[in-house]
Amino acid sequence: MNPQLIQLIMFYAFGAVAVGAALAVITLRNSVHAVLSLVLTFFSVACIWLLAEAEFLAIALIVVYVGAVMVLFLFVVMMLDIKMEQVREGFARYLPVGIIVALVMLAEMIGMIGVRAMGLHVMGEDPAAAAGLSNTAWLGHALYTQFLLPFEIAAIILTVGIVAAVALTLRHRGGVRHQSAAEQVAVDPRTRMRIVKMASETMPTETVPPVAPSQETSP
Amino acid sequence: MPTFNDFLILLPEAYLTVAACVILLMDAFLKGGQRVAIHWLSIIVLLVGAWLVIDGQPATAVSGFSGMFIRDPVAEILKVFSLLTTALMFIYSRGYLRDRNINEGEYYALTLFAVIGIMVLVSAGSLVTVYLGLELLTLSSYALVALNRDSKLSSEAAIKYFVLGALASGMLLYGMSMIYGATHSLDLATILHVQNVEWRNLMLFGVVFAIVGIGFKLGAAPFHMWIPDVYQGAPTAVTIFIGTAQKIAAFGMAYRLLDSGLGAYAHEWRMMLAVLAVLSLAIGNLLAIVQTNLKRLLAYSTISHMGFLLLGLVEANPAGYSAAMFYAISYALTSAAAFGIILAMSRAGFECEEIDDFKGLNQRSPWFAFLMMLVMFSLAGVPPLFGFFGKLLVLQSAIDAGFLWLAVVGAVFAIIGLYYYLRVVKVMYFDAPVEGTDVRAQPDMPLRFVLSLNALALLALGIAWGPLFAWCQRAFGITA
């Protein structure tokens, strides 16, 4: 069979898995299953990007989204309604779906490696190869020259994300006890301790009780 | 490779970004009474921004960052009026925010970021900048709508806005991917000149999805579902932003995408816009009749006004665009004054947003009743106010485009619309005030002064509308 046809078939296979898994994300009632499906969606999309010779983006998608963001999601979803029995039986309950997701990923990976071994011809020419650069270097060049403006705007969008998250969740409640590290560090010995100079007494029988340091104030 | 000249083109946006960050930092360090400085500084920042836009405007269109950013007279006008209406909104909102304990620093900073989004959007020369500008604008807006955290209505509105907005962004992005697939380019100028018959259907799908995105941003029916709830639920100080500067931005986005990018498909998208226009006019005007809440009434009135704006776009030539731009500006200034009056009448614990709250306003605050009457007449399109000439010009352009029936529909619905605007006037002048209520304007002098100026400007611009319209026409290359 000619390699181009196989690659086309693989492209459609990855696409089908991605779409199917994405549908599962929004239709499954169990939120942990939905997150696992989302992992599968990202993985399939990463495979499609590998077919398109966008290696750096594919790896970034796996490392950042599947590796970090999705695991965080999973933690959050599992923490949402926390009951100890559910947490204990969670492993067995989510195992089948986890295994299915893992198996599909494995199949995709094997397919991917097989297809890459044939050399890629599907997605038109590769601008990175045309420029004589590696994929990552070319991406860096493009981001900081041709796409500098969108890159900076994306940075502003992330700033807005942070500001919005803080503005919507930070509340200054009155009467809450908390530590103020700045005040603790900036403390002066004179405010905490009073040194009382006393003339030495001549009568040995009476001893002066030690001066108690003033009560520490916890701000 | 970006050069120094590219950054020179971007000066107003870069300046605003720095200013927004400074204001954000000031909010962290200023305490209590000092925060009033943020308010005045934000207004000065906007006015200086408008000055930078006008002052640095090159005589002809220039583009930078490999065609991603275009600075032309159209962008200039849209930016100036976005900045001015946002400044108006800041002046009107101060007391409202203070009374409701809304985080002022974040309000100003997020609004400034949203304005940067508008400026990028109306200057976009590439699908990437269109999308990023839009996202910067809408993400800030979602947060702004939710800013009043103690109000359930506000949180509900924010969630609805967020979910529907994300859906619309997804649609737009899907359309962009089709356009990219068909033309192999993200650059709008390149897309305009691609000749390919092979992928025509794919391209048309892309156009449809782009129209969905634009329709959602404008709030044109049938993509209007979010408008009434968001207008009502959002703090009025934020509603005014969605009703003014955002509409100018939506016009800019429609112009950039449809004319600068998809101009070759004008024959197809004109018909789609005509359908959107008729639906918006019908749904907006008919549903506004039954509203008892003024903010909701203004929301449905927005939908119908966007229908009128689309009448101008339907002509798909510079004359139509200049009429639509004039309409967008006239609507933004009028609705700024309308929400300004609601803000002026509200006080701690009381939202002056029911139409009944305005009963007998003439006996309590005759001056504000008069201003409100000017605003309502302008929205209705009564001569010689600003709104009348906007309507006249877009109806004219619909007739020139050969859509006589569309102009007739527009005129009929303008008359239907007259009913609910006049009802507000009637309630103010001929009804007795409700016993036990005391609806009066806040004793905030800057607000009173600027609001009066804004409402009187509707009259002044209605009488002397020529220069502004000539400016709009020049922007599109029409020399009268």
Side-chain angles (χ1 to χ4, degrees), chain B residues 127 171-182 199-214 257-258 262 265 272:
Chain B
L127 293 178
M171 295 270 189
L172 183 66
L173 214 49
Y174 194 34
M176 285 177 175
S177 72
M178 288 181 190
I179 294 169
Y180 178 67
W199 291 106
R200 196 176 158 78
N201 280 339
L202 185 65
M203 191 69 182
L204 283 180
F205 265 108
V207 173
V208 171
F209 280 106
I211 297 252
V212 171
I214 293 166
L257 269 181
L258 293 180
L262 304 170
Y265 298 83
M272 300 182 212

PDB file of all heavy atoms in Angstrom, chain B residues 127 171-182 199-214 257-258 262 265 272:
ATOM      1  N   LEU B 127      -6.651  37.587  10.453  1.00  0.00           N
ATOM      2  CA  LEU B 127      -7.629  36.843  11.244  1.00  0.00           C
ATOM      3  C   LEU B 127      -7.140  36.647  12.675  1.00  0.00           C
ATOM      4  O   LEU B 127      -7.928  36.652  13.622  1.00  0.00           O
ATOM      5  CB  LEU B 127      -7.882  35.470  10.596  1.00  0.00           C
ATOM      6  CG  LEU B 127      -8.573  35.469   9.241  1.00  0.00           C
ATOM      7  CD1 LEU B 127      -8.711  34.054   8.722  1.00  0.00           C
ATOM      8  CD2 LEU B 127      -9.943  36.107   9.330  1.00  0.00           C
ATOM      9  N   MET B 171     -17.449  29.340  17.165  1.00  0.00           N
ATOM     10  CA  MET B 171     -18.013  29.386  15.814  1.00  0.00           C
ATOM     11  C   MET B 171     -17.125  30.237  14.903  1.00  0.00           C
ATOM     12  O   MET B 171     -16.823  29.860  13.772  1.00  0.00           O
ATOM     13  CB  MET B 171     -19.405  30.022  15.853  1.00  0.00           C
ATOM     14  CG  MET B 171     -20.421  29.224  16.612  1.00  0.00           C
ATOM     15  SD  MET B 171     -21.213  28.102  15.494  1.00  0.00           S
ATOM     16  CE  MET B 171     -22.503  27.492  16.530  1.00  0.00           C
ATOM     17  N   LEU B 172     -16.752  31.416  15.429  1.00  0.00           N
ATOM     18  CA  LEU B 172     -15.939  32.332  14.634  1.00  0.00           C
ATOM     19  C   LEU B 172     -14.608  31.671  14.271  1.00  0.00           C
ATOM     20  O   LEU B 172     -14.154  31.731  13.123  1.00  0.00           O
ATOM     21  CB  LEU B 172     -15.701  33.611  15.437  1.00  0.00           C
ATOM     22  CG  LEU B 172     -14.931  34.703  14.718  1.00  0.00           C
ATOM     23  CD1 LEU B 172     -15.743  35.236  13.560  1.00  0.00           C
ATOM     24  CD2 LEU B 172     -14.592  35.831  15.663  1.00  0.00           C
ATOM     25  N   LEU B 173     -14.018  31.005  15.255  1.00  0.00           N
ATOM     26  CA  LEU B 173     -12.729  30.359  15.038  1.00  0.00           C
ATOM     27  C   LEU B 173     -12.862  29.241  14.007  1.00  0.00           C
ATOM     28  O   LEU B 173     -11.988  29.056  13.148  1.00  0.00           O
ATOM     29  CB  LEU B 173     -12.248  29.779  16.370  1.00  0.00           C
ATOM     30  CG  LEU B 173     -10.762  29.780  16.645  1.00  0.00           C
ATOM     31  CD1 LEU B 173     -10.167  31.127  16.367  1.00  0.00           C
ATOM     32  CD2 LEU B 173     -10.516  29.388  18.083  1.00  0.00           C
ATOM     33  N   TYR B 174     -13.966  28.509  14.074  1.00  0.00           N
ATOM     34  CA  TYR B 174     -14.226  27.436  13.124  1.00  0.00           C
ATOM     35  C   TYR B 174     -14.332  28.020  11.713  1.00  0.00           C
ATOM     36  O   TYR B 174     -13.730  27.500  10.762  1.00  0.00           O
ATOM     37  CB  TYR B 174     -15.535  26.750  13.535  1.00  0.00           C
ATOM     38  CG  TYR B 174     -15.789  25.419  12.884  1.00  0.00           C
ATOM     39  CD1 TYR B 174     -14.752  24.556  12.584  1.00  0.00           C
ATOM     40  CD2 TYR B 174     -17.084  25.021  12.592  1.00  0.00           C
ATOM     41  CE1 TYR B 174     -15.000  23.335  11.997  1.00  0.00           C
ATOM     42  CE2 TYR B 174     -17.344  23.801  12.005  1.00  0.00           C
ATOM     43  CZ  TYR B 174     -16.299  22.959  11.706  1.00  0.00           C
ATOM     44  OH  TYR B 174     -16.541  21.762  11.124  1.00  0.00           O
ATOM     45  N   GLY B 175     -15.071  29.143  11.613  1.00  0.00           N
ATOM     46  CA  GLY B 175     -15.188  29.812  10.318  1.00  0.00           C
ATOM     47  C   GLY B 175     -13.825  30.275   9.817  1.00  0.00           C
ATOM     48  O   GLY B 175     -13.497  30.121   8.638  1.00  0.00           O
ATOM     49  N   MET B 176     -13.017  30.819  10.744  1.00  0.00           N
ATOM     50  CA  MET B 176     -11.683  31.290  10.342  1.00  0.00           C
ATOM     51  C   MET B 176     -10.834  30.142   9.841  1.00  0.00           C
ATOM     52  O   MET B 176     -10.072  30.294   8.890  1.00  0.00           O
ATOM     53  CB  MET B 176     -11.001  31.963  11.525  1.00  0.00           C
ATOM     54  CG  MET B 176     -11.536  33.334  11.833  1.00  0.00           C
ATOM     55  SD  MET B 176     -10.715  33.982  13.270  1.00  0.00           S
ATOM     56  CE  MET B 176     -11.394  35.623  13.312  1.00  0.00           C
ATOM     57  N   SER B 177     -10.971  28.969  10.496  1.00  0.00           N
ATOM     58  CA  SER B 177     -10.160  27.831  10.057  1.00  0.00           C
ATOM     59  C   SER B 177     -10.582  27.415   8.651  1.00  0.00           C
ATOM     60  O   SER B 177      -9.751  27.024   7.836  1.00  0.00           O
ATOM     61  CB  SER B 177     -10.283  26.670  11.041  1.00  0.00           C
ATOM     62  OG  SER B 177     -11.548  26.072  10.925  1.00  0.00           O
ATOM     63  N   MET B 178     -11.878  27.529   8.339  1.00  0.00           N
ATOM     64  CA  MET B 178     -12.322  27.195   6.982  1.00  0.00           C
ATOM     65  C   MET B 178     -11.787  28.201   5.976  1.00  0.00           C
ATOM     66  O   MET B 178     -11.340  27.835   4.884  1.00  0.00           O
ATOM     67  CB  MET B 178     -13.845  27.183   6.927  1.00  0.00           C
ATOM     68  CG  MET B 178     -14.437  26.006   7.646  1.00  0.00           C
ATOM     69  SD  MET B 178     -16.208  26.078   7.508  1.00  0.00           S
ATOM     70  CE  MET B 178     -16.636  24.813   8.652  1.00  0.00           C
ATOM     71  N   ILE B 179     -11.843  29.491   6.356  1.00  0.00           N
ATOM     72  CA  ILE B 179     -11.328  30.515   5.447  1.00  0.00           C
ATOM     73  C   ILE B 179      -9.839  30.286   5.210  1.00  0.00           C
ATOM     74  O   ILE B 179      -9.350  30.366   4.082  1.00  0.00           O
ATOM     75  CB  ILE B 179     -11.584  31.919   6.038  1.00  0.00           C
ATOM     76  CG1 ILE B 179     -13.092  32.189   6.106  1.00  0.00           C
ATOM     77  CG2 ILE B 179     -10.903  32.993   5.216  1.00  0.00           C
ATOM     78  CD1 ILE B 179     -13.464  33.406   6.898  1.00  0.00           C
ATOM     79  N   TYR B 180      -9.134  29.943   6.288  1.00  0.00           N
ATOM     80  CA  TYR B 180      -7.699  29.666   6.154  1.00  0.00           C
ATOM     81  C   TYR B 180      -7.477  28.449   5.271  1.00  0.00           C
ATOM     82  O   TYR B 180      -6.587  28.420   4.414  1.00  0.00           O
ATOM     83  CB  TYR B 180      -7.082  29.448   7.542  1.00  0.00           C
ATOM     84  CG  TYR B 180      -5.616  29.116   7.511  1.00  0.00           C
ATOM     85  CD1 TYR B 180      -4.693  30.061   7.085  1.00  0.00           C
ATOM     86  CD2 TYR B 180      -5.153  27.864   7.893  1.00  0.00           C
ATOM     87  CE1 TYR B 180      -3.354  29.770   7.041  1.00  0.00           C
ATOM     88  CE2 TYR B 180      -3.809  27.562   7.858  1.00  0.00           C
ATOM     89  CZ  TYR B 180      -2.917  28.510   7.425  1.00  0.00           C
ATOM     90  OH  TYR B 180      -1.590  28.218   7.382  1.00  0.00           O
ATOM     91  N   GLY B 181      -8.309  27.423   5.460  1.00  0.00           N
ATOM     92  CA  GLY B 181      -8.167  26.216   4.657  1.00  0.00           C
ATOM     93  C   GLY B 181      -8.397  26.502   3.182  1.00  0.00           C
ATOM     94  O   GLY B 181      -7.709  25.951   2.318  1.00  0.00           O
ATOM     95  N   ALA B 182      -9.343  27.396   2.890  1.00  0.00           N
ATOM     96  CA  ALA B 182      -9.676  27.651   1.493  1.00  0.00           C
ATOM     97  C   ALA B 182      -8.670  28.584   0.830  1.00  0.00           C
ATOM     98  O   ALA B 182      -8.427  28.483  -0.369  1.00  0.00           O
ATOM     99  CB  ALA B 182     -11.080  28.241   1.399  1.00  0.00           C
ATOM    100  N   TRP B 199     -12.459  25.794  -3.981  1.00  0.00           N
ATOM    101  CA  TRP B 199     -12.863  25.657  -2.580  1.00  0.00           C
ATOM    102  C   TRP B 199     -13.974  26.635  -2.215  1.00  0.00           C
ATOM    103  O   TRP B 199     -14.106  27.033  -1.085  1.00  0.00           O
ATOM    104  CB  TRP B 199     -11.660  25.883  -1.668  1.00  0.00           C
ATOM    105  CG  TRP B 199     -10.672  24.792  -1.782  1.00  0.00           C
ATOM    106  CD1 TRP B 199      -9.465  24.844  -2.414  1.00  0.00           C
ATOM    107  CD2 TRP B 199     -10.801  23.474  -1.278  1.00  0.00           C
ATOM    108  NE1 TRP B 199      -8.846  23.644  -2.344  1.00  0.00           N
ATOM    109  CE2 TRP B 199      -9.641  22.768  -1.640  1.00  0.00           C
ATOM    110  CE3 TRP B 199     -11.805  22.805  -0.564  1.00  0.00           C
ATOM    111  CZ2 TRP B 199      -9.445  21.438  -1.304  1.00  0.00           C
ATOM    112  CZ3 TRP B 199     -11.598  21.481  -0.226  1.00  0.00           C
ATOM    113  CH2 TRP B 199     -10.435  20.815  -0.602  1.00  0.00           C
ATOM    114  N   ARG B 200     -14.754  27.037  -3.168  1.00  0.00           N
ATOM    115  CA  ARG B 200     -15.757  28.073  -2.933  1.00  0.00           C
ATOM    116  C   ARG B 200     -16.744  27.705  -1.827  1.00  0.00           C
ATOM    117  O   ARG B 200     -17.078  28.532  -0.978  1.00  0.00           O
ATOM    118  CB  ARG B 200     -16.503  28.346  -4.226  1.00  0.00           C
ATOM    119  CG  ARG B 200     -17.254  29.636  -4.167  1.00  0.00           C
ATOM    120  CD  ARG B 200     -17.914  29.951  -5.496  1.00  0.00           C
ATOM    121  NE  ARG B 200     -18.999  30.876  -5.259  1.00  0.00           N
ATOM    122  CZ  ARG B 200     -18.817  32.163  -5.062  1.00  0.00           C
ATOM    123  NH1 ARG B 200     -17.608  32.659  -5.081  1.00  0.00           N
ATOM    124  NH2 ARG B 200     -19.847  32.962  -4.821  1.00  0.00           N
ATOM    125  N   ASN B 201     -17.189  26.445  -1.827  1.00  0.00           N
ATOM    126  CA  ASN B 201     -18.172  26.055  -0.812  1.00  0.00           C
ATOM    127  C   ASN B 201     -17.596  26.118   0.595  1.00  0.00           C
ATOM    128  O   ASN B 201     -18.257  26.569   1.528  1.00  0.00           O
ATOM    129  CB  ASN B 201     -18.699  24.655  -1.091  1.00  0.00           C
ATOM    130  CG  ASN B 201     -19.752  24.679  -2.168  1.00  0.00           C
ATOM    131  OD1 ASN B 201     -20.343  25.728  -2.424  1.00  0.00           O
ATOM    132  ND2 ASN B 201     -19.978  23.553  -2.812  1.00  0.00           N
ATOM    133  N   LEU B 202     -16.349  25.667   0.718  1.00  0.00           N
ATOM    134  CA  LEU B 202     -15.687  25.741   2.026  1.00  0.00           C
ATOM    135  C   LEU B 202     -15.614  27.194   2.479  1.00  0.00           C
ATOM    136  O   LEU B 202     -15.897  27.531   3.636  1.00  0.00           O
ATOM    137  CB  LEU B 202     -14.288  25.145   1.898  1.00  0.00           C
ATOM    138  CG  LEU B 202     -13.506  25.040   3.192  1.00  0.00           C
ATOM    139  CD1 LEU B 202     -14.160  24.071   4.140  1.00  0.00           C
ATOM    140  CD2 LEU B 202     -12.075  24.616   2.912  1.00  0.00           C
ATOM    141  N   MET B 203     -15.264  28.054   1.532  1.00  0.00           N
ATOM    142  CA  MET B 203     -15.159  29.478   1.837  1.00  0.00           C
ATOM    143  C   MET B 203     -16.516  30.032   2.283  1.00  0.00           C
ATOM    144  O   MET B 203     -16.591  30.799   3.247  1.00  0.00           O
ATOM    145  CB  MET B 203     -14.696  30.187   0.555  1.00  0.00           C
ATOM    146  CG  MET B 203     -14.294  31.598   0.756  1.00  0.00           C
ATOM    147  SD  MET B 203     -12.782  31.694   1.693  1.00  0.00           S
ATOM    148  CE  MET B 203     -12.630  33.468   1.803  1.00  0.00           C
ATOM    149  N   LEU B 204     -17.579  29.612   1.596  1.00  0.00           N
ATOM    150  CA  LEU B 204     -18.902  30.121   1.972  1.00  0.00           C
ATOM    151  C   LEU B 204     -19.285  29.680   3.375  1.00  0.00           C
ATOM    152  O   LEU B 204     -19.873  30.445   4.143  1.00  0.00           O
ATOM    153  CB  LEU B 204     -19.951  29.647   0.967  1.00  0.00           C
ATOM    154  CG  LEU B 204     -19.940  30.411  -0.352  1.00  0.00           C
ATOM    155  CD1 LEU B 204     -20.998  29.877  -1.290  1.00  0.00           C
ATOM    156  CD2 LEU B 204     -20.172  31.894  -0.103  1.00  0.00           C
ATOM    157  N   PHE B 205     -18.932  28.433   3.723  1.00  0.00           N
ATOM    158  CA  PHE B 205     -19.164  27.986   5.098  1.00  0.00           C
ATOM    159  C   PHE B 205     -18.428  28.904   6.075  1.00  0.00           C
ATOM    160  O   PHE B 205     -18.973  29.308   7.099  1.00  0.00           O
ATOM    161  CB  PHE B 205     -18.675  26.554   5.278  1.00  0.00           C
ATOM    162  CG  PHE B 205     -19.767  25.541   5.111  1.00  0.00           C
ATOM    163  CD1 PHE B 205     -19.813  24.730   3.993  1.00  0.00           C
ATOM    164  CD2 PHE B 205     -20.749  25.409   6.074  1.00  0.00           C
ATOM    165  CE1 PHE B 205     -20.826  23.804   3.828  1.00  0.00           C
ATOM    166  CE2 PHE B 205     -21.763  24.498   5.920  1.00  0.00           C
ATOM    167  CZ  PHE B 205     -21.811  23.685   4.788  1.00  0.00           C
ATOM    168  N   GLY B 206     -17.190  29.228   5.723  1.00  0.00           N
ATOM    169  CA  GLY B 206     -16.414  30.131   6.568  1.00  0.00           C
ATOM    170  C   GLY B 206     -17.106  31.466   6.722  1.00  0.00           C
ATOM    171  O   GLY B 206     -17.170  32.027   7.823  1.00  0.00           O
ATOM    172  N   VAL B 207     -17.662  31.982   5.616  1.00  0.00           N
ATOM    173  CA  VAL B 207     -18.363  33.272   5.670  1.00  0.00           C
ATOM    174  C   VAL B 207     -19.556  33.181   6.617  1.00  0.00           C
ATOM    175  O   VAL B 207     -19.781  34.068   7.444  1.00  0.00           O
ATOM    176  CB  VAL B 207     -18.831  33.687   4.256  1.00  0.00           C
ATOM    177  CG1 VAL B 207     -19.702  34.924   4.326  1.00  0.00           C
ATOM    178  CG2 VAL B 207     -17.642  33.933   3.361  1.00  0.00           C
ATOM    179  N   VAL B 208     -20.301  32.068   6.521  1.00  0.00           N
ATOM    180  CA  VAL B 208     -21.474  31.916   7.388  1.00  0.00           C
ATOM    181  C   VAL B 208     -21.056  31.945   8.853  1.00  0.00           C
ATOM    182  O   VAL B 208     -21.658  32.655   9.676  1.00  0.00           O
ATOM    183  CB  VAL B 208     -22.213  30.600   7.061  1.00  0.00           C
ATOM    184  CG1 VAL B 208     -23.284  30.344   8.103  1.00  0.00           C
ATOM    185  CG2 VAL B 208     -22.817  30.662   5.686  1.00  0.00           C
ATOM    186  N   PHE B 209     -19.997  31.210   9.182  1.00  0.00           N
ATOM    187  CA  PHE B 209     -19.577  31.183  10.584  1.00  0.00           C
ATOM    188  C   PHE B 209     -19.046  32.535  11.034  1.00  0.00           C
ATOM    189  O   PHE B 209     -19.242  32.935  12.182  1.00  0.00           O
ATOM    190  CB  PHE B 209     -18.527  30.090  10.801  1.00  0.00           C
ATOM    191  CG  PHE B 209     -19.135  28.730  10.917  1.00  0.00           C
ATOM    192  CD1 PHE B 209     -19.030  27.811   9.892  1.00  0.00           C
ATOM    193  CD2 PHE B 209     -19.845  28.377  12.048  1.00  0.00           C
ATOM    194  CE1 PHE B 209     -19.604  26.562  10.000  1.00  0.00           C
ATOM    195  CE2 PHE B 209     -20.419  27.127  12.160  1.00  0.00           C
ATOM    196  CZ  PHE B 209     -20.304  26.216  11.130  1.00  0.00           C
ATOM    197  N   ALA B 210     -18.384  33.240  10.123  1.00  0.00           N
ATOM    198  CA  ALA B 210     -17.918  34.592  10.475  1.00  0.00           C
ATOM    199  C   ALA B 210     -19.114  35.485  10.780  1.00  0.00           C
ATOM    200  O   ALA B 210     -19.097  36.268  11.725  1.00  0.00           O
ATOM    201  CB  ALA B 210     -17.088  35.177   9.337  1.00  0.00           C
ATOM    202  N   ILE B 211     -20.182  35.344   9.971  1.00  0.00           N
ATOM    203  CA  ILE B 211     -21.379  36.161  10.205  1.00  0.00           C
ATOM    204  C   ILE B 211     -21.998  35.822  11.564  1.00  0.00           C
ATOM    205  O   ILE B 211     -22.480  36.709  12.275  1.00  0.00           O
ATOM    206  CB  ILE B 211     -22.408  35.918   9.080  1.00  0.00           C
ATOM    207  CG1 ILE B 211     -21.832  36.361   7.752  1.00  0.00           C
ATOM    208  CG2 ILE B 211     -23.739  36.575   9.409  1.00  0.00           C
ATOM    209  CD1 ILE B 211     -22.393  37.595   7.179  1.00  0.00           C
ATOM    210  N   VAL B 212     -21.963  34.530  11.920  1.00  0.00           N
ATOM    211  CA  VAL B 212     -22.494  34.145  13.231  1.00  0.00           C
ATOM    212  C   VAL B 212     -21.723  34.870  14.337  1.00  0.00           C
ATOM    213  O   VAL B 212     -22.316  35.448  15.253  1.00  0.00           O
ATOM    214  CB  VAL B 212     -22.416  32.615  13.434  1.00  0.00           C
ATOM    215  CG1 VAL B 212     -22.760  32.256  14.868  1.00  0.00           C
ATOM    216  CG2 VAL B 212     -23.334  31.904  12.473  1.00  0.00           C
ATOM    217  N   GLY B 213     -20.393  34.864  14.212  1.00  0.00           N
ATOM    218  CA  GLY B 213     -19.571  35.535  15.219  1.00  0.00           C
ATOM    219  C   GLY B 213     -19.884  37.020  15.288  1.00  0.00           C
ATOM    220  O   GLY B 213     -20.041  37.588  16.368  1.00  0.00           O
ATOM    221  N   ILE B 214     -20.004  37.648  14.127  1.00  0.00           N
ATOM    222  CA  ILE B 214     -20.298  39.087  14.095  1.00  0.00           C
ATOM    223  C   ILE B 214     -21.694  39.349  14.654  1.00  0.00           C
ATOM    224  O   ILE B 214     -21.899  40.275  15.441  1.00  0.00           O
ATOM    225  CB  ILE B 214     -20.190  39.612  12.649  1.00  0.00           C
ATOM    226  CG1 ILE B 214     -18.745  39.539  12.181  1.00  0.00           C
ATOM    227  CG2 ILE B 214     -20.701  41.029  12.547  1.00  0.00           C
ATOM    228  CD1 ILE B 214     -18.590  39.720  10.702  1.00  0.00           C
ATOM    229  N   LEU B 257     -13.760  42.179   8.872  1.00  0.00           N
ATOM    230  CA  LEU B 257     -13.914  40.812   8.379  1.00  0.00           C
ATOM    231  C   LEU B 257     -14.634  40.804   7.038  1.00  0.00           C
ATOM    232  O   LEU B 257     -14.171  40.190   6.082  1.00  0.00           O
ATOM    233  CB  LEU B 257     -14.717  39.987   9.384  1.00  0.00           C
ATOM    234  CG  LEU B 257     -13.923  39.250  10.452  1.00  0.00           C
ATOM    235  CD1 LEU B 257     -14.875  38.478  11.328  1.00  0.00           C
ATOM    236  CD2 LEU B 257     -12.920  38.302   9.822  1.00  0.00           C
ATOM    237  N   LEU B 258     -15.764  41.489   6.966  1.00  0.00           N
ATOM    238  CA  LEU B 258     -16.621  41.340   5.794  1.00  0.00           C
ATOM    239  C   LEU B 258     -16.078  42.121   4.604  1.00  0.00           C
ATOM    240  O   LEU B 258     -16.048  41.601   3.491  1.00  0.00           O
ATOM    241  CB  LEU B 258     -18.048  41.793   6.118  1.00  0.00           C
ATOM    242  CG  LEU B 258     -18.762  40.905   7.132  1.00  0.00           C
ATOM    243  CD1 LEU B 258     -20.159  41.411   7.391  1.00  0.00           C
ATOM    244  CD2 LEU B 258     -18.811  39.472   6.638  1.00  0.00           C
ATOM    245  N   LEU B 262     -13.568  39.531   3.331  1.00  0.00           N
ATOM    246  CA  LEU B 262     -14.477  38.705   2.542  1.00  0.00           C
ATOM    247  C   LEU B 262     -15.251  39.534   1.531  1.00  0.00           C
ATOM    248  O   LEU B 262     -16.357  39.168   1.124  1.00  0.00           O
ATOM    249  CB  LEU B 262     -15.443  37.976   3.487  1.00  0.00           C
ATOM    250  CG  LEU B 262     -14.752  37.133   4.559  1.00  0.00           C
ATOM    251  CD1 LEU B 262     -15.746  36.653   5.582  1.00  0.00           C
ATOM    252  CD2 LEU B 262     -14.046  35.961   3.932  1.00  0.00           C
ATOM    253  N   TYR B 265     -17.070  38.151  -1.421  1.00  0.00           N
ATOM    254  CA  TYR B 265     -18.291  37.371  -1.228  1.00  0.00           C
ATOM    255  C   TYR B 265     -19.459  38.263  -0.795  1.00  0.00           C
ATOM    256  O   TYR B 265     -20.412  37.792  -0.195  1.00  0.00           O
ATOM    257  CB  TYR B 265     -18.050  36.248  -0.212  1.00  0.00           C
ATOM    258  CG  TYR B 265     -17.007  35.295  -0.707  1.00  0.00           C
ATOM    259  CD1 TYR B 265     -15.666  35.570  -0.538  1.00  0.00           C
ATOM    260  CD2 TYR B 265     -17.373  34.150  -1.393  1.00  0.00           C
ATOM    261  CE1 TYR B 265     -14.700  34.730  -1.048  1.00  0.00           C
ATOM    262  CE2 TYR B 265     -16.416  33.310  -1.905  1.00  0.00           C
ATOM    263  CZ  TYR B 265     -15.075  33.602  -1.728  1.00  0.00           C
ATOM    264  OH  TYR B 265     -14.135  32.767  -2.248  1.00  0.00           O
ATOM    265  N   MET B 272     -27.482  37.504   3.764  1.00  0.00           N
ATOM    266  CA  MET B 272     -27.515  37.016   5.155  1.00  0.00           C
ATOM    267  C   MET B 272     -27.739  38.179   6.113  1.00  0.00           C
ATOM    268  O   MET B 272     -28.543  38.099   7.044  1.00  0.00           O
ATOM    269  CB  MET B 272     -26.203  36.329   5.510  1.00  0.00           C
ATOM    270  CG  MET B 272     -25.865  35.137   4.666  1.00  0.00           C
ATOM    271  SD  MET B 272     -24.324  34.420   5.273  1.00  0.00           S
ATOM    272  CE  MET B 272     -23.637  33.780   3.764  1.00  0.00           C
TER     273      MET B 272
END
